[in-house]
Structure formats: structure tokens, C-alpha cells
Amino acid sequence: MTPKVIKTIGEMRRLSRQWRREGQRIALVPTMGFLHEGHLSLIRRARKAADKTVVSIYVNPTQFAPGEDLDKYPRDFERDLKLCAEERADAVFFPENHEMYPPGYQTYVFNEHLSDKLCGQTRPTHFKGVTTIVAKLFNIVEADAAVFGQKDAQQALIIRNMARDLNFRTNIIVAPIVRENDGLAMSSRNKYLTPDQRKQALVLNKSLRYAEKQWQEGLRDMARLKADIYTMISARNACRVDYISFVDACTLEEADSRSPEILLALAVFVGTTRLIDNVLLRR
Ligand code: AMP
């Protein structure tokens, strides 16, 4: 059955209130659309966590800086809706900008410390847009659970933190990274890559797998691993490293020998497309 398409906040609130009155548990999957298997895995996870699943599809302008790809961000609502139907989502919340940011809009949610690390260095206003839109979605849907992808590890951590700090009732679930058969992490932005860039982009996953293997074999010299990854990526002429970081998976502070869980995260420009990927390294 085609999910109910909801364009207004009022209608979304009414539906989720009705479900709650009926004793149904609700899970939310926030996305920017142009859905791929990664998003669909989140919908499946949401369906396990609750009785009703809401997928939001909204290209949130406040998380894009001027000069970023807001205008050319890929969109295909009809296809997205079909995929949501196949995954048996119950509702698709698909608001327009004037609904989410009406004239006079001036209030933002800002996470202080996690947001200025990793991607925050290159995209200093990005996470303020993310926390603001997710907080709004949490208030509108009042879901019992919301599902995010580990692909955006920093985003998931910031949202966990926000939900705790601001006492949202929504439980945060983080689902694993879904990859193409050749290892490239799925992303709506992969669509920007030319066939040659698409091949070169494999170095992101390859370098992470290399580091993971070295780690499993006992190598703990993070400076050396970082240099190796840098060399591997820079050898590809379309690729330019934005960052390669070994950070504590909870604080995003630079990892040291005592960090119990380390996030190895990287961002690489492949041509003009900025791709991210990561792996968790356990002691
Ligand atoms: P986006 O539409 O890019 O904003 O992503 C919406 C949600 O899907 C976020 O929670 C992402 O982390 C998640 N996501 C995107 N790509 C993947 C992937 N390859 N595997 C798992 N989750 C993903």
C-alpha cells in the first residue's frame, strides 16, 4: 500500500497523535530523499522497532552552506515514494521550505563541542542545521524511536547527545553502513561521480579496510596508519583528502592509547564531490 503523503506539520501531528492514542509505537527515519539501499535498511530497522514508520523526505536548506550543493542535490520524489511503499512505510512526511522555515524563522538548536570536530572543520554551520531540523522533526512526530545511519557517524553521535541533553522522548537507533558490492559506501552524492571518479572513490573503503586489517593484526601506530591512508588516497589523481582522523568514538577528541573505541573517519573530495566514510576500531 502507498504510504500516506503528508505535507503539513498539522496533519503529521494529528496522525502521530492518533497512532499514539491507539497504543501504536512510532519510528521515524529522517532523510533528504533520493533513497538508496542505505536508507531502506533504516526503514527496515524502524519497522522492527515500532508499529508505524514515518519516513521524512526533506532537503534541509539550513544544513547547506552557501556554495554547497543545495540546489543540485538529487531529488526524485515519485521514485522515493515507490521505494517507501515497497518497504511498507506508513507515512512519508514531505514538507516544503515555507512549512519548516516560515518567514521570521530565527531559532536554532546548536550542539557545542561535537559539532566543531571532523566535518565541522570544513562545514562549520552544517550540524547546527542538522540538529535544528531533527529537533523540529522530533517535536512534530514525537516518535518513540528514530533511526540514523553509522555512515554519518558524527551526525548520529551529535543527535544522540542532543536527544539526551534536551530530554527528547525519542530513542536513537544507529544502523550499520550499507555498501555497494564493490565496497563504496552508499550515498545520494555518489550520483555526482563520473565513471572514472566512481572507480577512484573505491580508495576510501580500501584504505579503511587496510587500516582495519592492520589494527586487527595488532598495529596501534595511528600516525603511521594515517600516513599510509593519506598516501593511498593521494595516489588517486581525482582524490583530495579533507581529513583522516582517529578519534575517541564517544568524544570525537583525538584518540590516544586509552580510548576504548576509536572511530577512524575520513572525508575526501573526489573531483568536487565530498564523500565521507568511517570504521570503528575496537581495542
Ligand atoms: P541523508 O538522506 O543522506 O541525509 O541520509 C539519511 C539517513 O540515512 C542518515 O541517517 C544517514 O546516516 C543514513 N545513510 C545514508 N547513507 C547510508 C548508508 N550507506 N548506510 C547506512 N545509512 C546511511
Side-chain angles (χ1 to χ4, degrees), residues 30-32 36 38-39 42 148-149 151-152 155 176-178 186:
T31 80
M32 297 206 296
H36 51 64
H39 298 114
L42 305 189
F148 295 86
K151 157 87 189 334
D152 299 84
Q155 168 175 284
I177 302 177
V178 176
M186 290 195 181

Side-chain angles (χ1 to χ4, degrees), residues 1-5 35 57 76-87 91-92:
M1 211 173 74
T2 310
K4 203 168 164 44
V5 177
L35 303 180
I57 297 184
D76 189 343
F77 182 71
E78 289 314 314
R79 181 174 161 274
D80 288 348
L81 188 58
K82 210 167 136 251
L83 291 169
C84 288
E86 281 168 20
E87 295 303 332
V92 171

